Amino acid sequence: VLFLTDPDIFSMTWLHFLSVSITVWLTLLFVFTIVPAVLGVSIGIRRLYLTTLLKIFEWATLRMEMEAKEKNQQLYKPYSSGIIVKEPPLSLQQGIQELRGSASCLHSEPEFEMADIFYFCRRGVESIVDDEVTKRFSAQELETWNLLTRSHYNFRHISLRLTVLWGLGVLIRYGILLPLRVTLAATGISLILVLTTLVGFLPSRELRFFLTEKVHVMCYRICVRSLTAMITYHNRENKPKNGGICVANHTTPIDVIILANDGCYSLIGQAHRGLLGMVQRAMVKSSPHIWFDRSEVKDRHLVAKRLSDHVADKTKQPILIFPEGTCINNTSVMMFKKGSFEIGCTVYPVAIKYDPLFGDAFWNSSKFGMVNYLLRMMSSWAIVCSVWYLPPMNREEGEDAVQFANRVKAAIAAQGGLVDLIWDGGLKRAKVKDAFKEEQQKLYSKVLVDTSR
């Protein structure tokens, strides 16, 4: 009675309980997460967690199908996310010859025929029906519900059991996992700010580079655990080496953390303000990262010179570059910008493939801001992905930068099980360049000239 009636005793007891809870929380966090991250070991909690989740998803999907069958409902079945093998399209000349009848029916003089219009109309309709560009900037469909409304909004209403299971998942994700992950992320970012600044004051260049690598890997391991990420690395003998450029397909900003968890890289990008700018300034004090001002980013010659100077020094870490220039939904690889392939150094391709079952890592920057996106990542179940280090590649004799970029892109697509597309990821926000239209006009003109011979 005294505990309930005396406000001083009540407040002191509540504060004591709160302080004990925070102490226990931070102690468990330090022992089971931060210490293993610093030592680079895993005690198997994440793997057990993912195995349990997978069994729950399978049960939920089975239960959902049974409930729908009892109610004579038909569930929405998305198309398989795998690659559909299609017949290669006819070339422009073959398509026009097919419409005109046969090659023997072509006139001796190059001239336009009305039937030629239908070829371009048909290709236009095919592009609209099967748009290879737009669908690369939306989330993948799942065949198994992962208890997230962002994947299938109405499935939680099918039965009471599924509703209860979904509600329990919300409590776990937002009440336990989200605070834990925010604490880990804040710890990792704080350590990067403090430790890289301190290391930057060391006079010895060799010691500074050595400690920088240890500090970065340790901090990135903590950040990886803030996403409950389970990463499988393949072919580690092909890991990028100093004096080279590492290129990878781009799905999300956390691609940097995924790769830096297994090695240290120099980063290149635009200088920012705010918290991100503070992190950039702290990192550059201890490691040779390349940050450009907004006015310098469009200066291709300046960027190329900075890259060349960096790779010429074999003591510097490999540069990590995402040549697509934008985030793709991890079903394909789009056109690589040729800038990083003009340097003339060894290129180390890396393929990254995410499993969307536990959480979709794709960042749709036109729909979600950075803070909103990170909140969605930290409130997902987990991030699961595979990373393949491909053998190093060099520019062959007689090969230009565009051909080299396409060869590297094809290797990454083949290894990651991704669709190799020729389109520029910049079409996400821009219109088709006039060069593409002119190319089709040139091909058609060439067909007319060739048929006259």
Side-chain angles (χ1 to χ4, degrees):
V1 175
L2 184 63
F3 170 76
L4 296 175
T5 57
D6 191 332
D8 293 333
I9 296 178
F10 178 79
S11 60
M12 290 178 61
T13 304
W14 171 251
L15 289 175
H16 177 70
F17 172 76
L18 185 62
S19 63
V20 171
S21 300
I22 293 176
T23 302
V24 172
W25 175 269
L26 294 178
T27 302
L28 293 175
L29 187 69
F30 181 79
V31 173
F32 291 103
T33 304
I34 296 180
V35 171
V38 172
L39 300 178
V41 298
S42 176
I43 57 180
I45 295 179
R46 285 176 296 171
R47 190 171 296 278
L48 177 62
Y49 165 72
L50 292 178
T51 302
T52 305
L53 272 181
L54 190 59
K55 292 181 179 179
I56 293 175
F57 294 162
E58 292 174 351
W59 177 87
T61 302
L62 181 62
R63 190 69 196 176
M64 184 172 57
E65 292 175 350
M66 292 174 60
E67 293 283 350
K69 187 176 181 180
E70 291 176 0
K71 297 178 180 180
N72 294 323
Q73 296 177 354
Q74 185 169 358
L75 293 178
Y76 168 70
K77 289 287 188 178
Y79 292 107
S80 172
S81 58
I83 299 174
I84 300 175
V85 180
K86 299 184 296 183
E87 294 184 2
L90 297 175
S91 66
L92 190 145
Q93 182 174 3
Q94 291 173 335
I96 289 179
Q97 288 180 354
E98 180 181 337
L99 285 173
R100 291 186 178 184
S102 65
S104 59
C105 298
L106 296 174
H107 297 284
S108 59
E109 294 296 330
E111 65 177 52
F112 166 78
E113 290 192 10
M114 289 297 295
D116 298 350
I117 296 177
F118 294 102
Y119 169 79
F120 296 101
C121 292
R122 184 180 66 186
R123 291 300 304 272
V125 172
E126 289 175 351
S127 298
I128 294 173
V129 172
D130 186 17
D131 186 358
E132 291 186 332
V133 177
T134 305
K135 65 183 179 183
R136 307 302 173 183
F137 303 114
S138 59
Q140 300 181 59
E141 294 284 359
L142 300 179
E143 294 185 352
T144 301
W145 187 37
N146 58 3
L147 301 179
L148 297 176
T149 54
R150 65 193 67 165
S151 56
H152 290 295
Y153 184 77
N154 293 319
F155 277 10
R156 70 182 190 275
H157 299 304
I158 289 181
S159 71
L160 179 62
R161 292 183 181 181
L162 287 177
T163 302
V164 172
L165 185 61
W166 170 80
L168 181 61
V170 171
L171 292 176
I172 293 175
R173 289 188 293 111
Y174 286 93
I176 300 176
L177 295 180
L178 183 59
L180 172 65
R181 291 166 176 174
V182 170
T183 305
L184 284 173
T187 302
I189 294 174
S190 301
L191 288 176
I192 288 179
L193 287 172
V194 175
L195 296 180
T196 53
T197 301
L198 294 177
V199 171
F201 288 113
L202 295 176
S204 174
R205 187 170 182 264
E206 290 76 13
L207 179 61
R208 187 167 66 248
F209 279 9
F210 174 77
L211 291 179
T212 294
E213 182 174 353
K214 301 301 180 183
V215 166
H216 276 81
V217 171
M218 178 190 70
C219 294
Y220 284 127
R221 284 172 179 167
I222 295 176
C223 291
V224 161
R225 281 164 170 77
S226 72
L227 299 170
T228 317
M230 178 63 71
I231 313 167
T232 305
Y233 297 96
H234 304 272
N235 307 326
R236 277 194 164 109
E237 67 275 9
N238 296 325
K239 285 178 61 175
K241 296 179 174 55
N242 291 353
I245 294 179
C246 173
V247 298
N249 57 302
H250 198 25
T251 304
T252 163
I254 66 175
D255 288 335
V256 176
I257 302 175
I258 298 297
L259 293 177
N261 178 67
D262 194 43
C264 203
Y265 297 90
S266 292
L267 305 179
I268 180 172
Q270 181 178 320
H272 294 271
R273 298 179 181 178
L275 177 61
L276 184 56
M278 189 184 303
V279 174
Q280 287 180 323
R281 289 190 294 272
M283 292 171 63
V284 81
K285 290 179 180 178
S286 60
S287 185
H289 301 284
I290 303 176
W291 309 125
F292 292 96
D293 293 330
R294 184 181 295 272
S295 59
E296 298 175 332
V297 172
K298 296 182 179 180
D299 191 341
R300 294 182 64 253
H301 297 290
L302 178 61
V303 174
K305 185 178 184 307
R306 295 281 294 274
L307 284 174
S308 300
D309 294 341
H310 184 100
V311 298
D313 188 348
K314 301 304 179 182
T315 63
K316 293 184 178 180
Q317 302 151 353
I319 300 179
L320 177 58
I321 297 178
F322 301 102
E324 288 170 298
T326 189
C327 294
I328 314 298
N329 70 354
N330 209 227
T331 61
S332 64
V333 184
M334 304 192 80
M335 187 183 77
F336 279 6
K337 305 294 190 297
K338 65 178 182 178
S340 54
F341 299 91
E342 294 176 328
I343 308 302
C345 66
T346 301
V347 172
Y348 295 88
V350 176
I352 307 174
K353 181 63 177 178
Y354 291 90
D355 185 352
L357 178 60
F358 300 95
D360 186 12
F362 168 58
W363 181 34
N364 188 347
S365 56
S366 60
K367 187 176 181 181
F368 302 106
M370 178 60 75
V371 176
N372 194 347
Y373 168 76
L374 291 177
L375 178 62
R376 289 170 64 88
M377 287 298 95
M378 291 186 177
S379 60
S380 296
W381 293 112
I383 298 298
V384 179
C385 70
S386 296
V387 176
W388 288 273
Y389 297 109
L390 279 66
M393 302 175 69
N394 290 279
R395 191 166 163 180
E396 297 178 351
E397 186 177 354
E399 188 178 44
D400 60 25
V402 175
Q403 293 171 334
F404 184 30
N406 290 334
R407 184 160 59 91
V408 174
K409 176 167 68 78
I412 292 176
Q415 181 62 75
L418 307 170
V419 180
D420 186 2
L421 297 177
I422 62 172
W423 299 104
D424 185 358
L427 294 174
K428 180 179 181 178
R429 297 184 179 87
K431 295 182 179 179
V432 178
K433 296 180 180 179
D434 292 336
F436 285 102
K437 302 176 184 177
E438 293 173 358
E439 182 179 356
Q440 295 300 316
Q441 293 170 353
K442 290 178 181 178
L443 288 174
Y444 181 58
S445 300
K446 186 179 179 181
V447 168
L448 293 179
V449 173
D450 288 344
T451 56
S452 64
R453 296 176 182 175

